[in-house]
Amino acid sequence: MSAVRSRDRSLVFFGLLAVWIGFELLTSSRWLAIRSILQQPHRSGPSPGSLASLLQRSLSTAPPRVWFAPYSTFPEPGNVESRFRSGVYDTLLAFPSSGIASNYGVFKLGPADLLFAQASTQGLPVEAQLARDLGYQWFALDLGALESVQQAVALCKQVQGCQVSTDGYALFRLNQTAGALIKGLASLQRRIVDFPQRSAGYRWAGVVLRPNQWFVPEGSDLLLEQGNRPRVRIWATPLLSNGLFVYRDQDLPAPVASRLQSRQRRLWLTLAPGVGGADLCLQRQPARPCLPLRLRQNQPAVEISRAVPAGQVSTINSLALFGPQGQPIRVDQLPFLPGSATDRAIFGLEIK
């Protein structure tokens, strides 16, 4: 008898719970507002002068191929870079299924994301050139992601065919006459430097560094050297181990691999300034011995290009730390990185 009563009570409880959830969904203004927002573009069409409206006005028989710049990862992190970012979603909603092709929404840390994030880190001209080489027809520049909206608008007005939308985008064709505008993009500064790198985990030349285990100090630049083969440096958060993954060339589409210079990639571990030394080891597979790596002030860098295997996760383990006089030290005794009052590191990784 008690078992029957217990079952009856459970049925009553879950029944009341279902009624309560249904009531909340029907009466919640938040749910109704979201539903209204999602339906609005299909019901009334894009606002006059918006990015979606400008693209629809120039629409031919083929769907437009639009590059949204500066490149941002998807899903976006908690801190959205631009107050105008909703223009991307409004544009995608304004077109029917498969009615627009864009660079927005590629898989985070996938091959396309590797390529797009690397180009974006090298600046807007490199990003625009990549977009044109990949066959994108339009370049939609998010003005809210830039340090100076006025400077970007002034640049757009100097070029025939460039339009500024009412929702905060400068739109121009990536045709043969776009060269002058692409060069002019070099004068524009992104509001959050290296935003796609910082928001999803650092990656360069087919190397992906495990999120939250590597960093670039605020106010510092990922790039150490520009050029055809840029050199970058990322510091390792002081942990017992720091992970990285290296793509195999056969896992990358040929155009991506060639643009990432993955076949010529070189990797170095470098000792952080002010640290006397560090005993590290590279763990390539759990069952294999950890490869010893020794950094000292008189030997502050060691190349690991050939030691790091492709196609799997490797970890760099920290075994011992030493101060400038060779004495053992703890992590909390590490010096701050130059120019920072908060960031410490044992070593960094340089990629070229």
Side-chain angles (χ1 to χ4, degrees):
M1 181 66 71
S2 61
V4 173
R5 289 180 179 175
S6 176
R7 184 182 62 184
D8 291 343
R9 289 173 182 170
S10 297
L11 290 174
V12 170
F13 172 77
F14 284 111
L16 291 173
L17 180 63
V19 170
W20 176 74
I21 293 174
F23 179 78
E24 284 292 314
L25 292 180
L26 287 173
T27 59
S28 170
S29 60
R30 181 183 178 192
W31 280 89
L32 294 176
I34 292 174
R35 184 179 179 186
S36 173
I37 290 170
L38 291 176
Q39 289 181 344
Q40 188 271 338
H42 299 287
R43 185 172 62 248
S44 60
S47 303
S50 67
L51 176 60
S53 176
L54 296 179
L55 287 169
Q56 283 190 343
R57 196 181 307 165
S58 59
L59 185 62
S60 59
T61 54
R65 293 177 56 82
V66 185
W67 183 282
F68 293 103
Y71 173 69
S72 180
T73 53
F74 178 88
E76 295 184 45
N79 56 324
V80 178
E81 182 181 24
S82 168
R83 64 186 187 278
F84 300 141
R85 190 54 49 80
S86 61
V88 175
Y89 304 107
D90 292 342
T91 302
L92 296 177
L93 286 170
F95 285 83
S97 266
S98 302
I100 185 171
S102 81
N103 64 321
Y104 192 76
V106 302
F107 285 114
K108 190 178 291 188
L109 303 183
D113 177 60
L114 293 177
L115 181 60
F116 296 170
Q118 181 165 320
S120 179
T121 305
Q122 292 175 262
L124 285 170
V126 175
E127 193 171 338
Q129 187 60 54
L130 172 64
R132 186 162 69 172
D133 292 346
L134 293 178
Y136 286 86
Q137 303 162 310
W138 297 93
F139 195 80
L141 182 60
D142 184 346
L143 302 179
L146 305 177
E147 283 283 0
S148 174
V149 174
Q150 293 77 12
Q151 188 179 0
V153 171
L155 176 64
C156 183
K157 290 181 178 179
Q158 296 173 12
V159 179
Q160 185 177 4
C162 184
Q163 306 172 78
V164 177
S165 71
T166 56
D167 50 358
Y169 285 79
L171 179 69
F172 64 91
R173 281 187 179 273
L174 287 170
N175 52 24
Q176 297 302 319
T177 64
L181 184 52
I182 291 177
K183 290 181 180 178
L185 293 174
S187 64
L188 304 180
Q189 179 65 43
R190 190 169 187 165
R191 193 167 61 85
I192 304 178
V193 180
D194 304 334
F195 182 77
Q197 298 273 5
R198 295 176 186 273
S199 63
Y202 291 94
R203 55 261 197 230
W204 197 272
V207 179
V208 179
L209 303 178
R210 181 164 285 171
N212 304 320
Q213 294 188 359
W214 304 81
F215 70 98
V216 172
E218 291 295 333
S220 298
D221 196 347
L222 177 68
L223 289 164
L224 288 180
E225 300 173 5
Q226 292 278 7
N228 295 330
R229 291 186 59 207
R231 187 175 183 131
V232 301
R233 180 177 60 202
I234 309 98
W235 295 107
T237 304
L239 301 168
L240 291 177
S241 63
N242 300 77
L244 65 145
F245 176 86
V246 177
Y247 271 89
R248 296 177 298 184
D249 285 336
Q250 59 265 36
D251 295 335
L252 296 170
V256 174
S258 63
R259 287 178 177 274
L260 292 177
Q261 295 102 16
S262 56
R263 290 180 177 86
Q264 302 175 343
R265 174 183 52 234
R266 298 182 67 185
L267 308 173
W268 296 267
L269 293 182
T270 59
L271 192 64
V275 180
D279 288 341
L280 314 171
C281 72
L282 176 64
Q283 187 70 62
R284 292 168 286 188
Q285 290 181 1
R288 295 183 62 183
C290 203
L291 178 67
L293 301 169
R294 189 173 184 269
L295 297 176
R296 294 294 186 270
Q297 286 184 328
N298 61 354
Q299 188 185 359
V302 58
E303 185 168 0
I304 58 171
S305 307
R306 296 187 179 183
V308 177
Q312 67 183 57
V313 175
S314 302
T315 59
I316 301 167
N317 302 330
S318 298
L319 306 178
L321 311 179
F322 303 97
Q325 308 303 320
Q327 75 281 14
I329 61 172
R330 303 185 307 272
V331 168
D332 61 351
Q333 295 175 311
L334 288 169
F336 293 118
L337 290 173
S340 174
T342 57
D343 295 314
R344 292 182 169 98
I346 303 168
F347 63 91
L349 178 68
E350 294 188 10
I351 309 172
K352 182 173 182 177

